[in-house]
Amino acid sequence: MTKYLNHWRLEKPAFAAASEPDQTYIPQRWKCDLDIVNILCHQSGTLNLIISENGHGKSSLARYINNNLSVNTHDTIVVALFYQESKSGWLIPKLAKFLGYQGQVDSLKASLEYVAQALDKIATENRLLSIIIDEADKLSNQQALEEIHNLISIQSIAPACINFTIIGTQKIQSLIEDSPKFTGRIRHCTKIPPLDLLETREYIRSRLKSVGLSHEIVPEASIRYLHSLSKGIFAKINTHMENALIRAWMNKTHIIDTHFFHAEAAEQKIELRSKDQAKPVANNEHSELKYEREENRILQYPPREIPKATKPTTINHDISKFNDINDINDINDINDINNINDI
């Protein structure tokens, strides 16, 4: 690792770690929606959704939103879900601990009482509590949304100071929209698309600049190939770029040529092909023995040559002579009729 970092004069890998919140790359076409989210985070009782597919930088956006809320006006908690949540009771203990609760967090009643007191204090100070939930797809059913709904609803009868930003995939959007309790509650939904070619180029150059590398190390042809390979997905761009930097170091060069990405693409295709062709084998020795037996059987009983199909002959039957049932005089006449029915 040291030789690799020294080759590029880096203190840490360029694309392996997440960017600092203040260095997060935000494409121009995202900024309008994210400005709306920021404005709504300055209002109480709002519910905002940020929706994108996996690998599109949702966690980076959570840190970016958090970083853009002033500590003078906001208390902000980012809740990253690691496990599936199917019941209520997962949010209040985390919220109580964030607000300074020192008691047993498994006591839901005590945690709820502390949160209520803390919210009163926040409202009295004219501050806001912004709750950002990342990886919200872990909320597996509508029961897991109960606490979010209750904290939003309670503000109609108590001092209002809470807003939510929920970040996940289409799954969480469908779950919330299908819940009657959230009808009319969603203030804004931002959908994050993959990067286009221009944005991919800007992103790579911004990451290189943040670690002190020149954008000239990645030629235009390499950027175009990387965009087609990654489909504009942040996670794939990061993986391909970090691997390409390693391959360039191994080849003692400071230029990321397209063949470094070709090699990785070829490896992925080989891996996928091997998975498709692989068959479950219980025992290697048994498999080899079975193969040998099959080979011996083929040698002992070679496949027979299949004769070529011949054109079927057409037999014309004259039934005009049977004008009446009384014309059938003998067994031969009956056989003639049976032969006709068999055709």
Side-chain angles (χ1 to χ4, degrees), residues 47-65:
L47 174 61
N48 312 306
L49 301 183
I50 297 180
I51 304 300
S52 73
E53 295 305 315
N54 294 325
H56 280 53
K58 295 188 293 295
S59 297
S60 296
L61 283 177
R63 293 190 294 270
Y64 173 82
I65 295 169

mmCIF file with all atom_site columns, all heavy atoms in Angstrom, residues 47-65:
data_model
loop_
_atom_site.group_PDB
_atom_site.id
_atom_site.type_symbol
_atom_site.label_atom_id
_atom_site.label_alt_id
_atom_site.label_comp_id
_atom_site.label_asym_id
_atom_site.label_entity_id
_atom_site.label_seq_id
_atom_site.pdbx_PDB_ins_code
_atom_site.Cartn_x
_atom_site.Cartn_y
_atom_site.Cartn_z
_atom_site.occupancy
_atom_site.B_iso_or_equiv
_atom_site.pdbx_formal_charge
_atom_site.auth_seq_id
_atom_site.auth_comp_id
_atom_site.auth_asym_id
_atom_site.auth_atom_id
_atom_site.pdbx_PDB_model_num
ATOM 1   N N   . LEU A 1 47 ? -41.878 16.505 5.586   1.00 0.00 ? 47 LEU A N   1
ATOM 2   C CA  . LEU A 1 47 ? -41.359 15.169 5.276   1.00 0.00 ? 47 LEU A CA  1
ATOM 3   C C   . LEU A 1 47 ? -40.841 15.200 3.847   1.00 0.00 ? 47 LEU A C   1
ATOM 4   O O   . LEU A 1 47 ? -41.602 15.410 2.899   1.00 0.00 ? 47 LEU A O   1
ATOM 5   C CB  . LEU A 1 47 ? -42.453 14.117 5.423   1.00 0.00 ? 47 LEU A CB  1
ATOM 6   C CG  . LEU A 1 47 ? -42.099 12.687 4.986   1.00 0.00 ? 47 LEU A CG  1
ATOM 7   C CD1 . LEU A 1 47 ? -40.951 12.137 5.813   1.00 0.00 ? 47 LEU A CD1 1
ATOM 8   C CD2 . LEU A 1 47 ? -43.314 11.775 5.091   1.00 0.00 ? 47 LEU A CD2 1
ATOM 9   N N   . ASN A 1 48 ? -39.543 15.002 3.673   1.00 0.00 ? 48 ASN A N   1
ATOM 10  C CA  . ASN A 1 48 ? -38.901 15.054 2.371   1.00 0.00 ? 48 ASN A CA  1
ATOM 11  C C   . ASN A 1 48 ? -38.338 13.686 2.025   1.00 0.00 ? 48 ASN A C   1
ATOM 12  O O   . ASN A 1 48 ? -37.804 12.991 2.892   1.00 0.00 ? 48 ASN A O   1
ATOM 13  C CB  . ASN A 1 48 ? -37.757 16.085 2.370   1.00 0.00 ? 48 ASN A CB  1
ATOM 14  C CG  . ASN A 1 48 ? -38.173 17.410 2.974   1.00 0.00 ? 48 ASN A CG  1
ATOM 15  O OD1 . ASN A 1 48 ? -39.151 18.006 2.563   1.00 0.00 ? 48 ASN A OD1 1
ATOM 16  N ND2 . ASN A 1 48 ? -37.427 17.854 3.981   1.00 0.00 ? 48 ASN A ND2 1
ATOM 17  N N   . LEU A 1 49 ? -38.445 13.310 0.764   1.00 0.00 ? 49 LEU A N   1
ATOM 18  C CA  . LEU A 1 49 ? -37.895 12.042 0.292   1.00 0.00 ? 49 LEU A CA  1
ATOM 19  C C   . LEU A 1 49 ? -36.784 12.315 -0.719  1.00 0.00 ? 49 LEU A C   1
ATOM 20  O O   . LEU A 1 49 ? -36.933 13.185 -1.580  1.00 0.00 ? 49 LEU A O   1
ATOM 21  C CB  . LEU A 1 49 ? -38.977 11.182 -0.372  1.00 0.00 ? 49 LEU A CB  1
ATOM 22  C CG  . LEU A 1 49 ? -40.201 10.792 0.455   1.00 0.00 ? 49 LEU A CG  1
ATOM 23  C CD1 . LEU A 1 49 ? -41.110 9.889  -0.370  1.00 0.00 ? 49 LEU A CD1 1
ATOM 24  C CD2 . LEU A 1 49 ? -39.795 10.114 1.745   1.00 0.00 ? 49 LEU A CD2 1
ATOM 25  N N   . ILE A 1 50 ? -35.712 11.540 -0.615  1.00 0.00 ? 50 ILE A N   1
ATOM 26  C CA  . ILE A 1 50 ? -34.653 11.527 -1.633  1.00 0.00 ? 50 ILE A CA  1
ATOM 27  C C   . ILE A 1 50 ? -34.537 10.087 -2.100  1.00 0.00 ? 50 ILE A C   1
ATOM 28  O O   . ILE A 1 50 ? -34.176 9.197  -1.314  1.00 0.00 ? 50 ILE A O   1
ATOM 29  C CB  . ILE A 1 50 ? -33.317 12.054 -1.084  1.00 0.00 ? 50 ILE A CB  1
ATOM 30  C CG1 . ILE A 1 50 ? -33.469 13.520 -0.663  1.00 0.00 ? 50 ILE A CG1 1
ATOM 31  C CG2 . ILE A 1 50 ? -32.216 11.919 -2.127  1.00 0.00 ? 50 ILE A CG2 1
ATOM 32  C CD1 . ILE A 1 50 ? -32.205 14.139 -0.093  1.00 0.00 ? 50 ILE A CD1 1
ATOM 33  N N   . ILE A 1 51 ? -34.831 9.855  -3.373  1.00 0.00 ? 51 ILE A N   1
ATOM 34  C CA  . ILE A 1 51 ? -34.950 8.500  -3.902  1.00 0.00 ? 51 ILE A CA  1
ATOM 35  C C   . ILE A 1 51 ? -33.913 8.274  -4.995  1.00 0.00 ? 51 ILE A C   1
ATOM 36  O O   . ILE A 1 51 ? -33.776 9.087  -5.917  1.00 0.00 ? 51 ILE A O   1
ATOM 37  C CB  . ILE A 1 51 ? -36.362 8.258  -4.484  1.00 0.00 ? 51 ILE A CB  1
ATOM 38  C CG1 . ILE A 1 51 ? -37.431 8.555  -3.421  1.00 0.00 ? 51 ILE A CG1 1
ATOM 39  C CG2 . ILE A 1 51 ? -36.492 6.845  -5.007  1.00 0.00 ? 51 ILE A CG2 1
ATOM 40  C CD1 . ILE A 1 51 ? -37.331 7.703  -2.173  1.00 0.00 ? 51 ILE A CD1 1
ATOM 41  N N   . SER A 1 52 ? -33.194 7.178  -4.905  1.00 0.00 ? 52 SER A N   1
ATOM 42  C CA  . SER A 1 52 ? -32.269 6.768  -5.974  1.00 0.00 ? 52 SER A CA  1
ATOM 43  C C   . SER A 1 52 ? -31.980 5.288  -5.809  1.00 0.00 ? 52 SER A C   1
ATOM 44  O O   . SER A 1 52 ? -32.275 4.683  -4.773  1.00 0.00 ? 52 SER A O   1
ATOM 45  C CB  . SER A 1 52 ? -30.973 7.577  -5.937  1.00 0.00 ? 52 SER A CB  1
ATOM 46  O OG  . SER A 1 52 ? -30.163 7.193  -4.847  1.00 0.00 ? 52 SER A OG  1
ATOM 47  N N   . GLU A 1 53 ? -31.365 4.710  -6.824  1.00 0.00 ? 53 GLU A N   1
ATOM 48  C CA  . GLU A 1 53 ? -30.997 3.303  -6.755  1.00 0.00 ? 53 GLU A CA  1
ATOM 49  C C   . GLU A 1 53 ? -29.709 3.142  -5.947  1.00 0.00 ? 53 GLU A C   1
ATOM 50  O O   . GLU A 1 53 ? -29.023 4.115  -5.624  1.00 0.00 ? 53 GLU A O   1
ATOM 51  C CB  . GLU A 1 53 ? -30.821 2.732  -8.167  1.00 0.00 ? 53 GLU A CB  1
ATOM 52  C CG  . GLU A 1 53 ? -32.103 2.718  -8.984  1.00 0.00 ? 53 GLU A CG  1
ATOM 53  C CD  . GLU A 1 53 ? -33.228 1.981  -8.271  1.00 0.00 ? 53 GLU A CD  1
ATOM 54  O OE1 . GLU A 1 53 ? -32.981 0.887  -7.737  1.00 0.00 ? 53 GLU A OE1 1
ATOM 55  O OE2 . GLU A 1 53 ? -34.350 2.507  -8.245  1.00 0.00 ? 53 GLU A OE2 1
ATOM 56  N N   . ASN A 1 54 ? -29.379 1.903  -5.633  1.00 0.00 ? 54 ASN A N   1
ATOM 57  C CA  . ASN A 1 54 ? -28.177 1.624  -4.847  1.00 0.00 ? 54 ASN A CA  1
ATOM 58  C C   . ASN A 1 54 ? -26.924 2.066  -5.598  1.00 0.00 ? 54 ASN A C   1
ATOM 59  O O   . ASN A 1 54 ? -26.822 1.898  -6.813  1.00 0.00 ? 54 ASN A O   1
ATOM 60  C CB  . ASN A 1 54 ? -28.088 0.135  -4.520  1.00 0.00 ? 54 ASN A CB  1
ATOM 61  C CG  . ASN A 1 54 ? -29.202 -0.319 -3.596  1.00 0.00 ? 54 ASN A CG  1
ATOM 62  O OD1 . ASN A 1 54 ? -29.627 0.430  -2.720  1.00 0.00 ? 54 ASN A OD1 1
ATOM 63  N ND2 . ASN A 1 54 ? -29.691 -1.527 -3.782  1.00 0.00 ? 54 ASN A ND2 1
ATOM 64  N N   . GLY A 1 55 ? -25.980 2.622  -4.844  1.00 0.00 ? 55 GLY A N   1
ATOM 65  C CA  . GLY A 1 55 ? -24.711 3.032  -5.430  1.00 0.00 ? 55 GLY A CA  1
ATOM 66  C C   . GLY A 1 55 ? -24.699 4.437  -5.982  1.00 0.00 ? 55 GLY A C   1
ATOM 67  O O   . GLY A 1 55 ? -23.699 4.872  -6.557  1.00 0.00 ? 55 GLY A O   1
ATOM 68  N N   . HIS A 1 56 ? -25.799 5.181  -5.804  1.00 0.00 ? 56 HIS A N   1
ATOM 69  C CA  . HIS A 1 56 ? -25.892 6.526  -6.360  1.00 0.00 ? 56 HIS A CA  1
ATOM 70  C C   . HIS A 1 56 ? -25.480 7.626  -5.380  1.00 0.00 ? 56 HIS A C   1
ATOM 71  O O   . HIS A 1 56 ? -25.766 8.800  -5.612  1.00 0.00 ? 56 HIS A O   1
ATOM 72  C CB  . HIS A 1 56 ? -27.313 6.789  -6.853  1.00 0.00 ? 56 HIS A CB  1
ATOM 73  C CG  . HIS A 1 56 ? -27.607 6.195  -8.193  1.00 0.00 ? 56 HIS A CG  1
ATOM 74  N ND1 . HIS A 1 56 ? -27.390 4.870  -8.467  1.00 0.00 ? 56 HIS A ND1 1
ATOM 75  C CD2 . HIS A 1 56 ? -28.095 6.719  -9.337  1.00 0.00 ? 56 HIS A CD2 1
ATOM 76  C CE1 . HIS A 1 56 ? -27.742 4.605  -9.719  1.00 0.00 ? 56 HIS A CE1 1
ATOM 77  N NE2 . HIS A 1 56 ? -28.169 5.711  -10.269 1.00 0.00 ? 56 HIS A NE2 1
ATOM 78  N N   . GLY A 1 57 ? -24.848 7.272  -4.287  1.00 0.00 ? 57 GLY A N   1
ATOM 79  C CA  . GLY A 1 57 ? -24.328 8.291  -3.369  1.00 0.00 ? 57 GLY A CA  1
ATOM 80  C C   . GLY A 1 57 ? -25.341 8.814  -2.376  1.00 0.00 ? 57 GLY A C   1
ATOM 81  O O   . GLY A 1 57 ? -25.243 9.977  -1.955  1.00 0.00 ? 57 GLY A O   1
ATOM 82  N N   . LYS A 1 58 ? -26.289 7.984  -1.956  1.00 0.00 ? 58 LYS A N   1
ATOM 83  C CA  . LYS A 1 58 ? -27.315 8.445  -1.017  1.00 0.00 ? 58 LYS A CA  1
ATOM 84  C C   . LYS A 1 58 ? -26.711 8.819  0.340   1.00 0.00 ? 58 LYS A C   1
ATOM 85  O O   . LYS A 1 58 ? -27.104 9.819  0.938   1.00 0.00 ? 58 LYS A O   1
ATOM 86  C CB  . LYS A 1 58 ? -28.390 7.369  -0.841  1.00 0.00 ? 58 LYS A CB  1
ATOM 87  C CG  . LYS A 1 58 ? -29.182 7.081  -2.114  1.00 0.00 ? 58 LYS A CG  1
ATOM 88  C CD  . LYS A 1 58 ? -30.357 6.163  -1.854  1.00 0.00 ? 58 LYS A CD  1
ATOM 89  C CE  . LYS A 1 58 ? -29.911 4.768  -1.463  1.00 0.00 ? 58 LYS A CE  1
ATOM 90  N NZ  . LYS A 1 58 ? -29.188 4.080  -2.558  1.00 0.00 ? 58 LYS A NZ  1
ATOM 91  N N   . SER A 1 59 ? -25.781 8.017  0.828   1.00 0.00 ? 59 SER A N   1
ATOM 92  C CA  . SER A 1 59 ? -25.163 8.309  2.124   1.00 0.00 ? 59 SER A CA  1
ATOM 93  C C   . SER A 1 59 ? -24.344 9.604  2.069   1.00 0.00 ? 59 SER A C   1
ATOM 94  O O   . SER A 1 59 ? -24.318 10.374 3.034   1.00 0.00 ? 59 SER A O   1
ATOM 95  C CB  . SER A 1 59 ? -24.275 7.144  2.564   1.00 0.00 ? 59 SER A CB  1
ATOM 96  O OG  . SER A 1 59 ? -25.056 5.972  2.757   1.00 0.00 ? 59 SER A OG  1
ATOM 97  N N   . SER A 1 60 ? -23.695 9.843  0.933   1.00 0.00 ? 60 SER A N   1
ATOM 98  C CA  . SER A 1 60 ? -22.955 11.101 0.769   1.00 0.00 ? 60 SER A CA  1
ATOM 99  C C   . SER A 1 60 ? -23.908 12.291 0.788   1.00 0.00 ? 60 SER A C   1
ATOM 100 O O   . SER A 1 60 ? -23.593 13.352 1.326   1.00 0.00 ? 60 SER A O   1
ATOM 101 C CB  . SER A 1 60 ? -22.160 11.082 -0.542  1.00 0.00 ? 60 SER A CB  1
ATOM 102 O OG  . SER A 1 60 ? -21.169 10.071 -0.515  1.00 0.00 ? 60 SER A OG  1
ATOM 103 N N   . LEU A 1 61 ? -25.099 12.111 0.195   1.00 0.00 ? 61 LEU A N   1
ATOM 104 C CA  . LEU A 1 61 ? -26.096 13.177 0.223   1.00 0.00 ? 61 LEU A CA  1
ATOM 105 C C   . LEU A 1 61 ? -26.588 13.444 1.643   1.00 0.00 ? 61 LEU A C   1
ATOM 106 O O   . LEU A 1 61 ? -26.848 14.599 2.004   1.00 0.00 ? 61 LEU A O   1
ATOM 107 C CB  . LEU A 1 61 ? -27.278 12.806 -0.677  1.00 0.00 ? 61 LEU A CB  1
ATOM 108 C CG  . LEU A 1 61 ? -27.065 12.978 -2.184  1.00 0.00 ? 61 LEU A CG  1
ATOM 109 C CD1 . LEU A 1 61 ? -28.302 12.503 -2.944  1.00 0.00 ? 61 LEU A CD1 1
ATOM 110 C CD2 . LEU A 1 61 ? -26.759 14.421 -2.533  1.00 0.00 ? 61 LEU A CD2 1
ATOM 111 N N   . ALA A 1 62 ? -26.727 12.386 2.437   1.00 0.00 ? 62 ALA A N   1
ATOM 112 C CA  . ALA A 1 62 ? -27.151 12.566 3.832   1.00 0.00 ? 62 ALA A CA  1
ATOM 113 C C   . ALA A 1 62 ? -26.137 13.432 4.581   1.00 0.00 ? 62 ALA A C   1
ATOM 114 O O   . ALA A 1 62 ? -26.514 14.358 5.324   1.00 0.00 ? 62 ALA A O   1
ATOM 115 C CB  . ALA A 1 62 ? -27.309 11.209 4.508   1.00 0.00 ? 62 ALA A CB  1
ATOM 116 N N   . ARG A 1 63 ? -24.855 13.153 4.394   1.00 0.00 ? 63 ARG A N   1
ATOM 117 C CA  . ARG A 1 63 ? -23.815 13.960 5.050   1.00 0.00 ? 63 ARG A CA  1
ATOM 118 C C   . ARG A 1 63 ? -23.795 15.382 4.494   1.00 0.00 ? 63 ARG A C   1
ATOM 119 O O   . ARG A 1 63 ? -23.553 16.344 5.226   1.00 0.00 ? 63 ARG A O   1
ATOM 120 C CB  . ARG A 1 63 ? -22.447 13.296 4.876   1.00 0.00 ? 63 ARG A CB  1
ATOM 121 C CG  . ARG A 1 63 ? -22.313 11.967 5.626   1.00 0.00 ? 63 ARG A CG  1
ATOM 122 C CD  . ARG A 1 63 ? -20.883 11.484 5.624   1.00 0.00 ? 63 ARG A CD  1
ATOM 123 N NE  . ARG A 1 63 ? -20.449 11.137 4.274   1.00 0.00 ? 63 ARG A NE  1
ATOM 124 C CZ  . ARG A 1 63 ? -20.571 9.935  3.743   1.00 0.00 ? 63 ARG A CZ  1
ATOM 125 N NH1 . ARG A 1 63 ? -21.112 8.956  4.438   1.00 0.00 ? 63 ARG A NH1 1
ATOM 126 N NH2 . ARG A 1 63 ? -20.145 9.681  2.510   1.00 0.00 ? 63 ARG A NH2 1
ATOM 127 N N   . TYR A 1 64 ? -24.047 15.509 3.187   1.00 0.00 ? 64 TYR A N   1
ATOM 128 C CA  . TYR A 1 64 ? -24.054 16.824 2.549   1.00 0.00 ? 64 TYR A CA  1
ATOM 129 C C   . TYR A 1 64 ? -25.183 17.693 3.112   1.00 0.00 ? 64 TYR A C   1
ATOM 130 O O   . TYR A 1 64 ? -24.980 18.873 3.437   1.00 0.00 ? 64 TYR A O   1
ATOM 131 C CB  . TYR A 1 64 ? -24.217 16.651 1.041   1.00 0.00 ? 64 TYR A CB  1
ATOM 132 C CG  . TYR A 1 64 ? -24.410 17.941 0.274   1.00 0.00 ? 64 TYR A CG  1
ATOM 133 C CD1 . TYR A 1 64 ? -23.329 18.733 -0.081  1.00 0.00 ? 64 TYR A CD1 1
ATOM 134 C CD2 . TYR A 1 64 ? -25.691 18.353 -0.111  1.00 0.00 ? 64 TYR A CD2 1
ATOM 135 C CE1 . TYR A 1 64 ? -23.511 19.925 -0.783  1.00 0.00 ? 64 TYR A CE1 1
ATOM 136 C CE2 . TYR A 1 64 ? -25.881 19.528 -0.821  1.00 0.00 ? 64 TYR A CE2 1
ATOM 137 C CZ  . TYR A 1 64 ? -24.789 20.305 -1.151  1.00 0.00 ? 64 TYR A CZ  1
ATOM 138 O OH  . TYR A 1 64 ? -24.975 21.468 -1.846  1.00 0.00 ? 64 TYR A OH  1
ATOM 139 N N   . ILE A 1 65 ? -26.381 17.123 3.249   1.00 0.00 ? 65 ILE A N   1
ATOM 140 C CA  . ILE A 1 65 ? -27.514 17.867 3.804   1.00 0.00 ? 65 ILE A CA  1
ATOM 141 C C   . ILE A 1 65 ? -27.236 18.257 5.251   1.00 0.00 ? 65 ILE A C   1
ATOM 142 O O   . ILE A 1 65 ? -27.488 19.396 5.674   1.00 0.00 ? 65 ILE A O   1
ATOM 143 C CB  . ILE A 1 65 ? -28.799 17.030 3.698   1.00 0.00 ? 65 ILE A CB  1
ATOM 144 C CG1 . ILE A 1 65 ? -29.163 16.808 2.230   1.00 0.00 ? 65 ILE A CG1 1
ATOM 145 C CG2 . ILE A 1 65 ? -29.951 17.703 4.429   1.00 0.00 ? 65 ILE A CG2 1
ATOM 146 C CD1 . ILE A 1 65 ? -30.261 15.790 2.017   1.00 0.00 ? 65 ILE A CD1 1
#
